[in-house]
């Protein structure tokens, strides 16, 4: 079965600093990979997703992630953090190519200080 | 589009009562998902439907939970009887096609006393 590990339940950065949120996955088949963001008291919003093709995926709000099969990783990055990026971020993997059943990681809370 | 609509946004009830959560998916979407989010277990899929038919309910915790989708624009998740451990945020999401992006509703925050 697929699984996702997010290293660090909390990550703190200063405004303007690099954001790096780590995600490793386990999958026996080529995975679809996702990053979602959740702002307080709101539902999840898709940041970006990898299905096939280019391994560097660009998403909304300046975020991007790179699929590295050899490392089974899909880390999320942003060159310069903004205060509005403070939220919880979830990595997810789909069970099987094109399959809709998502398995989520435990989430990483991103804190941005002035 | 209004997005996925859930009601109520907040629900407080007493143990043993029946609770019904409602969801209206995005028009045209053919998949609908119910998730539960808790501090202890994170975000977990309870059940999902394709074209109003339940496909996988392996995440439903027990028989006290049931979900229906009588038509393409409405789904319910019912808990009867409710217990304090059911307290969580319940999300509904919808998508189009096998590889479609799942769009989440704002959630229903349930507290069972």
């Amino acid at each position: 079965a697929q699984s996702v590990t997010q290293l660090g339940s909390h990550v703190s950065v200063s405004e303007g600093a690099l954001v790096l949120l780590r995600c490793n996955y386990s999958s026996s088949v080529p995975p679809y990979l996702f990053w979602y963001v959740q702002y307080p008291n709101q539902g999840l919003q898709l940041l970006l997703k990898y299905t096939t093709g280019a391994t560097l995926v660009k998403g909304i709000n300046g975020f991007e992630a790179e699929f590295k099969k050899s490392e089974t990783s899909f880390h999320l990055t942003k060159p310069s953090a903004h205060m509005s990026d403070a939220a919880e971020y979830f990595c997810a993997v789909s069970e099987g190519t094109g399959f809709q059943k998502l398995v989520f990681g435990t989430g990483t809370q991103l804190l941005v200080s002035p | 589009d209004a997005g996925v609509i859930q009601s109520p946004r907040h629900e407080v009830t007493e143990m043993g009562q029946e609770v019904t959560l409602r969801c209206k998916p995005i028009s045209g979407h053919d998949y609908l998902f119910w998730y539960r989010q808790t501090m202890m277990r994170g975000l977990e899929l309870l059940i999902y439907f394709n074209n109003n038919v339940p496909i996988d309910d392996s995440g439903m915790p027990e028989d006290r939970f049931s979900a229906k989708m009588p038509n393409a624009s409405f789904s319910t998740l019912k808990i009867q009887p409710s217990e304090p451990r059911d307290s969580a945020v319940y999300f509904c999401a919808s998508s189009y096609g096998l590889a479609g992006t799942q769009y989440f509703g704002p959630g229903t925050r349930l507290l069972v006393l």
Side-chain angles (χ1 to χ4, degrees):
Chain A
Q2 276 75 357
S3 65
V4 172
T5 301
Q6 290 185 242
L7 293 177
S9 59
H10 293 82
V11 170
S12 296
V13 299
S14 299
E15 192 172 21
L18 171 72
V19 175
L20 170 61
L21 304 182
R22 300 179 186 274
C23 173
N24 288 88
Y25 69 90
S26 170
S27 175
S28 58
V29 298
Y32 282 13
L33 295 159
F34 308 78
W35 275 100
Y36 280 83
V37 61
Q38 184 179 28
Y39 297 100
N41 300 316
Q42 294 187 27
L44 279 71
Q45 179 184 3
L46 182 70
L47 275 178
L48 50 81
K49 68 179 180 181
Y50 169 79
T51 54
T52 58
T55 56
L56 181 62
V57 181
K58 295 185 185 299
I60 61 172
N61 301 338
F63 284 93
E64 62 182 36
E66 187 171 10
F67 170 59
K68 291 187 176 181
K69 184 178 179 181
S70 61
E71 299 177 7
T72 60
S73 69
F74 191 58
H75 301 331
L76 182 70
T77 60
K78 182 174 180 177
S80 176
H82 192 272
M83 295 295 289
S84 61
D85 294 327
E88 189 154 21
Y89 293 79
F90 293 90
C91 183
V93 61
S94 67
E95 292 196 343
T97 303
F99 203 69
Q100 281 289 345
K101 190 171 181 178
L102 294 180
V103 175
F104 284 86
T106 52
T108 298
Q109 186 75 40
L110 177 64
L111 308 171
V112 183
S113 56
Chain B
D1 198 314
V4 175
I5 299 172
Q6 291 187 248
S7 65
R9 292 294 310 276
H10 298 89
E11 177 81 28
V12 181
T13 190
E14 292 188 345
M15 183 174 63
Q17 296 298 305
E18 177 180 295
V19 175
T20 299
L21 311 181
R22 297 172 175 80
C23 175
K24 177 179 170 56
I26 293 173
S27 177
H29 282 190
D30 56 351
Y31 284 85
L32 184 139
F33 307 81
W34 282 101
Y35 290 90
R36 179 172 67 176
Q37 186 178 37
T38 61
M39 291 292 292
M40 292 296 294
R41 301 175 66 89
L43 194 65
E44 48 185 350
L45 177 66
L46 300 177
I47 185 172
Y48 78 94
F49 296 82
N50 177 221
N51 291 323
N52 314 336
V53 176
I55 302 301
D56 186 340
D57 65 354
S58 59
M60 296 286 262
E62 48 197 274
D63 292 344
R64 297 185 297 106
F65 286 70
S66 62
K68 294 182 179 180
M69 192 165 186
N71 56 63
S73 60
F74 183 67
S75 176
T76 60
L77 178 67
K78 186 175 294 186
I79 309 173
Q80 166 63 18
S82 59
E83 296 182 3
R85 60 194 169 114
D86 301 330
S87 298
V89 181
Y90 291 81
F91 289 104
C92 176
S94 70
S95 68
Y96 175 73
L98 277 175
T101 296
Q102 292 187 27
Y103 293 87
F104 283 73
T108 295
R109 189 173 296 272
L110 173 65
L111 178 61
V112 183
L113 302 174

